[in-house]
Amino acid sequence: MLYVLIILFSAIAQYFGPWWLMPIVCFVLCLWKADAALKAFGVAFFAAATLWLGYASYQHFANEGLIGQKVADIFKIPNVLVLVVITTLIGGIVSGFAGMAGYYCRRALA
Amino acid sequence: MKYIRALLSLLVAGGLTYLLNQPLGPAPALGPFFSPFTGFWQNDEAPQKASSSELKLQGLKGEVIVKYDDNGVPHIFAENDADLFFAQGYIIARDRLWQMDFYTRVTSGRLSEVMGPLALDFDRYNRRLQLPEGAAKLAEAFMKDPDSKLVAESYSAGINAYIEQVEYKDLAIEFKILGYRPEAWSPLKTALVEMLMRKDMNARSDDYRMSNTLAVHGEEVVKDLFPDYPIEESPIIPKGTKWTFTPVAVPKVPEMLKASVAARLDIESENPGIGSNNWAVHGSRTSTGLPLLSNDPHLGLSLPSIWYQMQLVSPTVNVYGVCVPGWPGIGIGFNKDIAWGMTNVGSDVFDFYQIKFKDKTQKEYQHDGQWRPVTMKINEFRVKGEAKTVLDTVRYTHHGPVLYSDGQTPFMGDLPVGHALTWIGPVAVGNSLKALYMINRAKNYDDYRAIMPYLASPAFNVVFASNQNDVAITSAGQLPLKWKEQGKFVLDGANPAHDWRDWIPVEQNPYVKNPARGYVSSANQFPADPSYPYYLGWKFAPGERGIRINERLEKMTQATIDSLRLLQNDNFNVEARRVLPDLLKILEKDSSSKVNPAYQILANWNLRNDPEELGPTIFERWVKELRLAIWDDDFPSTDKKAPMMLPTRDRTWALLQKQPDSKWFDDKRTPKKTETAADIVRSTFAAAIDSLIDKHGRINDESWAWGKAKSTDIKHLVPLFKSFSRMDVINGGGANIVNATTEGGHGPSWRMVVQLDKTWPKAFGLYPGGQSGNPGSRLYDNMIDRWAKGELNELVFLKSKEENHPKIISTLKLGK
């Protein structure tokens, strides 16, 4: 449930606003719903990772897919798959920590 | 404990978010950059789809219809001129904003603000060239004329309308990678784009090398080996054309200055030359009875492309052609009645003056027997990644800035230290926007001639054809009135006779209308033969392209669009025709050369630089080494202390053919031996083959094929972004071939052929790139393959917005 909520709300938030609304969404939702630190991290991580992975892949495959490999080459990244992995990790890690922070704050407020 | 955990985890999460939102050294902020909602993933562009859309824009007076064809070319229909230029600015900004911003950063010397310290020396050089000062003057000139004011202001407003509404996710990928946002546009920025043209075309000089040559070898040798007019040439204005004007008095030649210049130098190889071809064939020699016009400006090829195709329509105009992003109007193109094109004149308009300072403080310098004060100017640079601004003090004389002072390292090898620079860039005042405005709307020859007073710099050979069956060419622009050979050598900054004082009256610039030979043409060669009363320079582009073009045009009697297209792609090597038979005769007498398979290849070569031929690979390499071997002992061109000029290829081949016993063939570096012309020809042949084997392996049809051995690189404007470039494009041609594609990535930056017609013209064209500036778009480089093959696209020139053309894909409606 939390997983779906995070994907849904952070997708809406990022569609209209900056990328950093995603960790904020994770923080708020985990503050509200998460019941363990590790679980909060995990859910937020995977939800954000799914969203970024999914949208990046959609961009790549639905269009010409020209830019991914070119950007990978500029940053000396071996191929576009690694670039997708990096994208997923960046989104996942920051959201994971935000989710965990949400859970701990809830504990502190409880 | 629970509070500490909460606090710590908040700090980690907040800190991480903050860090990902900050640029890290040269890297962009990773959060927005990697986010698929905003970052580079967004720059993957879907293929163009049939669509119609609408946009509201503040600043428009009426409705504008933009129709895009399948090549991404916008056809803009506006109800008035202000809206037309507004829409032109808005539309081009959507495709090329980063490129436009980059151009203005280069010429304003502000590239290091976004690129960091590696661009600082380049910035310093561009500021010292006074590119920003020149632009300010130009912008002022735009504002004085109501037409150019309207153009410049409406165009800026259109670009700004785009900048104001563009979101991060839609920004060009270069903005995202380099981590900055576009600045507002202004007429000054348009002027800065024009300064880039001035610099590219005119900011080069042989003065320093020639002075060194003169100092070592003396006047006699210089006169003999560096003549003021080539031995083989076919000038732009046909030989024998009578000059119908009364020339103004030309200043007297003062005592020549034997400059001795001391400077540290890092010599670059000879400039590959920025050339171009254009010609127009009179109706008496075409299949339709009306003129045909062709133009292919040669420039450093780049991505995003230098040019952008557009059709601009308002109640006052309907014109198609190419423009430079950032520069409004159509630069090269055609309308219903006329067509025009440009090549660089390449006259000598970049002169150095030796400055005699009173003392070490360099506060005063000598001029006309007096000490004149030096003015100081401090340039300030903000450098990305550095907290402090960098200050750079430049000394100014009335000649111009002392480009580099003692102790400073020049940006390029042929720039002497301690010399002031006078060049056309910051001093010419014209109004190019007015000229473009007028030529876009021109209906006949008189309208064409009327633009001449507005063209200043760079000077262009403007070719013209009309459906009234007129063809003409004018070397148009501000040309300094010089004494003979003024500026061939470094000038004396203390002698007032050496100053630039006046200009050649504009109506006396070389021009010709409907010459008897039935065509006009230019390929950057000498504008006129020595009967022209003014001195324009001692050296222009080598004559081969012009000679070949004129030979072929001479034979055309029923010319068609295709005959002109084929001539644009002509790969015949005039130099090889001139010199190869004599070189082979020498090899023939030598048994070891004769058995070399490379000899056979050359002997059987059809003298064309076609991509599959092996002959040009061998010939081009060999003549390069041959020329260097003949001259480098006496005229060391790479000497750090006093680099000299190598005599031209034209003079070299005349020496080889007419004076084979000349002392110049002896290599001074081998004192025990006296080499002859034949010795050098043989030894350089062997050496050239050896170095080719080193590079391409044993002789074979694959890797030795000219197209492969030469190849052409079309690099992104930031060479570091290699994957945004197109490397190793296979094609024929060469630096002095009509199809002037070079290894270094110079070549035809736009090929256009126009067939004039009483009712509606037909035109073809393409450039090596694409309409989009986005490497994630199919339209970024889609024309390159056809370009390499020498094909052209038929251009969609719409009569009206109601016309239903099968190639029109989408429509965009702009309204207030």
Side-chain angles (χ1 to χ4, degrees):
Chain A
M1 181 62 179
L2 189 54
Y3 175 77
V4 175
L5 283 179
I6 290 178
I7 292 182
L8 195 69
F9 280 103
S10 63
I12 295 168
Q14 286 178 88
Y15 189 79
F16 294 104
W19 76 277
W20 46 256
L21 290 176
M22 182 163 72
I24 292 179
V25 167
C26 293
F27 175 84
V28 173
L29 287 176
C30 287
L31 182 89
W32 175 43
K33 277 231 166 250
D35 41 25
L38 218 59
K39 211 172 145 192
F41 183 92
V43 169
F45 180 98
F46 283 111
T50 309
L51 181 62
W52 275 29
L53 172 73
Y55 196 34
S57 308
Y58 169 77
Q59 281 293 331
H60 186 67
F61 291 110
N63 300 311
E64 300 253 290
L66 293 172
I67 206 72
Q69 189 59 50
K70 289 179 180 176
V71 169
D73 287 345
I74 283 177
F75 290 99
K76 307 243 176 346
I77 290 165
N79 62 51
V80 72
L81 279 177
V82 180
L83 202 65
V84 172
V85 171
I86 295 174
T87 302
T88 312
L89 285 177
I90 288 178
I93 290 172
V94 70
S95 305
F97 278 110
M100 195 162 76
Y103 169 76
Y104 279 129
C105 285
R106 174 179 165 191
R107 288 281 308 273
L109 296 173
Chain B
M1 187 62 195
K2 61 180 186 183
Y3 294 110
I4 293 173
R5 269 206 206 119
L7 198 65
L8 268 179
S9 61
L10 257 180
L11 272 176
V12 171
L16 205 56
T17 309
Y18 176 80
L19 268 182
L20 288 175
N21 209 38
Q22 295 298 313
L24 306 165
L30 298 180
F33 186 68
F34 275 88
S35 164
F37 289 87
T38 57
F40 65 88
W41 295 107
Q42 283 286 331
N43 293 72
D44 239 331
E45 208 170 295
Q48 240 184 323
K49 269 189 264 157
S51 66
S52 68
S53 47
E54 245 185 286
L55 267 174
K56 297 271 169 238
L57 293 178
Q58 287 287 320
L60 279 174
K61 293 183 169 71
E63 187 183 78
V64 178
I65 304 288
V66 185
K67 295 189 152 190
Y68 279 98
D69 66 30
D70 59 354
N71 200 28
V73 177
H75 304 258
I76 302 178
F77 296 84
E79 290 165 356
N80 58 70
D81 279 346
D83 279 0
L84 182 67
F85 292 106
F86 184 97
Q88 190 190 15
Y90 181 82
I91 290 296
I92 198 156
R94 293 208 324 173
D95 275 329
R96 302 284 191 89
L97 183 59
W98 177 79
Q99 175 185 14
M100 291 152 67
D101 182 272
F102 181 83
Y103 285 167
T104 62
R105 285 193 176 272
V106 168
T107 45
S108 55
R110 292 179 51 211
L111 201 55
S112 40
E113 287 175 22
V114 297
M115 303 281 291
L118 80 152
L120 188 58
D121 280 347
F122 186 50
D123 278 345
R124 277 201 183 110
Y125 177 56
N126 288 327
R127 294 257 192 117
R128 283 160 186 245
L129 283 180
Q130 294 182 283
L131 298 176
E133 286 95 325
K137 246 191 228 176
L138 261 175
E140 207 177 295
F142 296 160
M143 291 305 153
K144 278 188 191 147
D145 179 274
D147 292 331
S148 53
K149 183 171 189 274
L150 174 94
V151 173
E153 287 182 341
S154 308
Y155 186 75
S156 298
I159 298 170
N160 289 333
Y162 177 74
I163 293 176
E164 277 156 28
Q165 59 165 231
V166 67
E167 293 175 40
Y168 175 81
K169 79 179 170 74
D170 294 321
L171 279 181
I173 186 138
E174 292 91 342
F175 281 125
K176 293 182 185 174
I177 294 176
L178 296 168
Y180 72 104
R181 284 190 70 93
E183 281 177 358
W185 199 263
S186 63
L188 176 67
K189 296 217 165 182
T190 287
L192 282 166
V193 173
E194 183 170 343
M195 291 307 287
L196 191 70
M197 233 7 125
R198 289 191 178 185
K199 185 193 162 192
D200 276 0
M201 301 290 180
N202 292 146
R204 284 187 311 280
S205 156
D206 301 321
D207 308 7
Y208 179 49
R209 289 159 186 266
M210 284 305 295
S211 282
N212 291 334
T213 310
L214 181 67
V216 171
H217 291 286
E219 269 179 63
E220 280 307 302
V221 168
V222 167
K223 221 172 165 183
D224 175 28
L225 296 182
F226 302 88
D228 289 339
Y229 193 75
I231 293 128
E232 294 202 354
E233 179 66 296
S234 178
I236 296 171
I237 308 304
K239 286 175 195 165
T241 301
K242 293 271 171 295
W243 306 106
T244 51
F245 53 82
T246 314
V248 296
V250 174
K252 283 219 170 55
V253 182
E255 180 92 350
M256 221 188 268
L257 164 82
K258 305 237 182 356
S260 56
V261 196
R264 294 153 290 104
L265 283 156
D266 173 25
I267 297 297
E268 297 193 334
S269 58
E270 252 175 88
N271 193 299
I274 289 181
S276 306
N277 307 320
N278 63 17
W279 60 83
V281 183
H282 188 262
S284 56
R285 288 172 160 262
T286 67
S287 64
T288 61
L290 284 173
L292 286 163
L293 180 138
S294 155
N295 187 197
D296 53 297
H298 310 160
L299 293 164
L301 303 178
S302 67
L303 286 169
S305 300
I306 301 156
W307 301 104
Y308 185 91
Q309 291 181 52
M310 275 195 174
Q311 181 177 358
L312 301 179
V313 191
S314 82
T316 68
V317 72
N318 185 356
V319 64
Y320 189 109
V322 284
C323 56
V324 177
W327 216 18
I330 295 294
I332 293 173
F334 59 92
N335 61 31
K336 178 184 160 292
D337 300 304
I338 66 139
W340 77 98
M342 321 231 200
T343 64
N344 186 19
V345 171
S347 47
D348 182 9
V349 286
F350 194 91
D351 288 339
F352 282 107
Y353 288 86
Q354 197 172 36
I355 298 300
K356 194 175 168 197
F357 290 108
K358 192 174 183 184
D359 52 42
K360 276 193 179 158
T361 61
Q362 305 196 352
K363 283 185 176 152
E364 287 173 89
Y365 71 103
Q366 198 176 54
H367 185 255
D368 203 9
Q370 288 168 352
W371 294 108
R372 291 178 68 157
V374 168
T375 324
M376 305 283 236
K377 198 188 147 191
I378 298 171
N379 290 323
E380 193 174 349
F381 300 86
R382 284 188 285 126
V383 182
K384 184 181 174 185
E386 292 188 5
K388 274 192 187 165
T389 57
V390 175
L391 299 178
D392 185 34
T393 308
V394 186
R395 293 178 168 79
Y396 278 73
T397 68
H398 77 288
H399 296 294
V402 176
L403 207 54
Y404 289 95
S405 297
D406 285 339
Q408 293 175 329
T409 311
F411 184 66
M412 283 186 297
D414 43 15
L415 309 169
V417 168
H419 286 61
L421 169 70
T422 295
W423 80 290
I424 195 90
V427 297
V429 184
N431 187 346
S432 59
L433 294 191
K434 175 83 172 178
L436 288 187
Y437 185 89
M438 289 166 74
I439 194 84
N440 286 193
R441 287 156 181 76
K443 291 187 168 63
N444 52 45
Y445 175 80
D446 289 337
D447 291 349
Y448 156 76
R449 284 294 292 176
I451 73 165
M452 298 308 161
Y454 298 100
L455 291 174
S457 165
F460 285 122
N461 296 305
V462 187
V463 71
F464 167 85
S466 76
N467 63 3
Q468 296 108 50
N469 225 345
D470 284 325
V471 296
I473 194 161
T474 309
S475 301
Q478 255 182 295
L479 300 168
L481 183 67
K482 291 179 159 189
W483 31 269
K484 194 171 173 243
E485 295 194 333
Q486 182 175 1
K488 183 172 181 177
F489 311 92
V490 167
L491 294 162
D492 182 357
N495 183 347
H498 288 221
D499 290 15
W500 281 19
R501 289 164 173 252
D502 217 336
W503 306 97
I504 295 174
V506 64
E507 67 282 2
Q508 299 187 4
N509 281 6
Y511 81 98
V512 67
K513 179 192 179 191
N514 296 330
R517 65 184 185 185
Y519 66 88
V520 291
S521 82
S522 76
N524 317 102
Q525 75 272 46
F526 274 72
D529 69 11
S531 71
Y532 184 64
Y534 305 111
Y535 174 78
L536 301 176
W538 70 278
K539 192 174 116 240
F540 282 79
E544 286 94 352
R545 279 185 291 122
I547 289 170
R548 177 66 179 168
I549 290 167
N550 290 348
E551 274 173 11
R552 283 198 59 176
L553 290 175
E554 203 63 57
K555 289 192 189 126
M556 278 185 202
T557 49
Q558 288 285 310
T560 61
I561 284 174
D562 225 35
S563 14
L564 264 58
R565 178 184 70 84
L566 290 171
L567 178 50
Q568 285 182 341
N569 288 283
D570 186 292
N571 283 335
F572 186 75
N573 194 321
V574 170
E575 187 175 29
R577 177 180 69 188
R578 177 179 177 183
V579 73
L580 187 62
D582 290 313
L583 297 178
L584 289 179
K585 259 183 224 152
I586 293 170
L587 292 191
E588 229 172 72
K589 291 183 192 132
D590 176 49
S591 55
S592 70
S593 300
K594 223 183 148 186
V595 296
N596 194 323
Y599 169 83
Q600 280 308 323
I601 293 170
L602 284 180
N604 296 326
W605 176 34
N606 62 9
L607 303 186
R608 289 176 187 279
N609 283 20
D610 292 334
E612 66 283 357
E613 292 289 333
L614 273 52
T617 309
I618 301 166
F619 177 77
E620 297 286 356
R621 178 82 197 200
W622 179 21
V623 293
K624 205 169 165 188
E625 293 201 12
L626 176 59
R627 182 164 159 238
L628 207 64
I630 295 170
W631 300 116
D632 208 36
D633 55 334
D634 301 293
F635 301 86
S637 58
T638 49
D639 187 292
K640 298 245 173 203
K641 282 191 194 130
M644 292 190 214
M645 282 289 284
L646 296 183
T648 58
R649 294 178 307 132
D650 174 66
R651 184 66 189 92
T652 308
W653 306 146
L655 188 82
L656 194 80
Q657 291 170 321
K658 295 186 184 124
Q659 301 156 266
D661 303 324
S662 161
K663 66 166 183 171
W664 298 113
F665 290 108
D666 178 39
D667 188 346
K668 279 202 316 206
R669 294 165 295 198
T670 55
K672 286 186 191 147
K673 209 174 146 205
T674 306
E675 285 85 358
T676 63
D679 290 333
I680 293 207
V681 166
R682 279 194 296 263
S683 63
T684 52
F685 177 68
I689 302 301
D690 283 349
S691 49
L692 284 169
I693 290 175
D694 267 358
K695 201 172 167 197
H696 305 297
R698 296 192 65 81
I699 298 184
N700 67 83
D701 291 346
E702 268 293 296
S703 60
W704 280 57
W706 176 235
K708 194 94 186 274
K710 171 178 73 83
S711 87
T712 298
D713 294 338
I714 306 174
K715 290 190 185 135
H716 187 267
L717 287 170
V718 180
L720 277 174
F721 297 172
K722 213 175 161 189
S723 58
F724 294 168
S725 308
R726 268 286 287 273
M727 309 299 275
D728 304 321
V729 177
I730 304 288
N731 57 15
N736 298 299
I737 306 295
V738 177
N739 180 19
T741 59
T742 74
E743 260 165 288
H746 279 76
S749 60
W750 161 241
R751 288 197 185 112
M752 175 181 87
V753 178
V754 184
Q755 177 179 295
L756 277 303
D757 192 273
K758 288 282 179 201
T759 50
W760 206 246
K762 224 180 189 178
F764 290 77
L766 54 62
Y767 57 79
Q771 289 287 96
S772 171
N774 177 13
S777 162
R778 188 188 61 85
L779 296 173
Y780 178 66
D781 57 359
N782 60 314
M783 283 184 269
I784 291 180
D785 296 327
R786 280 173 69 74
W787 173 85
K789 284 187 216 147
E791 295 168 349
L792 298 176
N793 291 336
E794 180 160 9
L795 305 176
V796 179
F797 184 43
L798 300 175
K799 288 194 179 89
S800 71
K801 66 180 168 210
E802 284 78 29
E803 186 181 338
N804 275 321
H805 196 287
K807 285 191 172 167
I808 295 297
I809 289 185
S810 63
T811 305
L812 170 67
K813 204 189 275 180
L814 305 177
K816 55 185 165 178

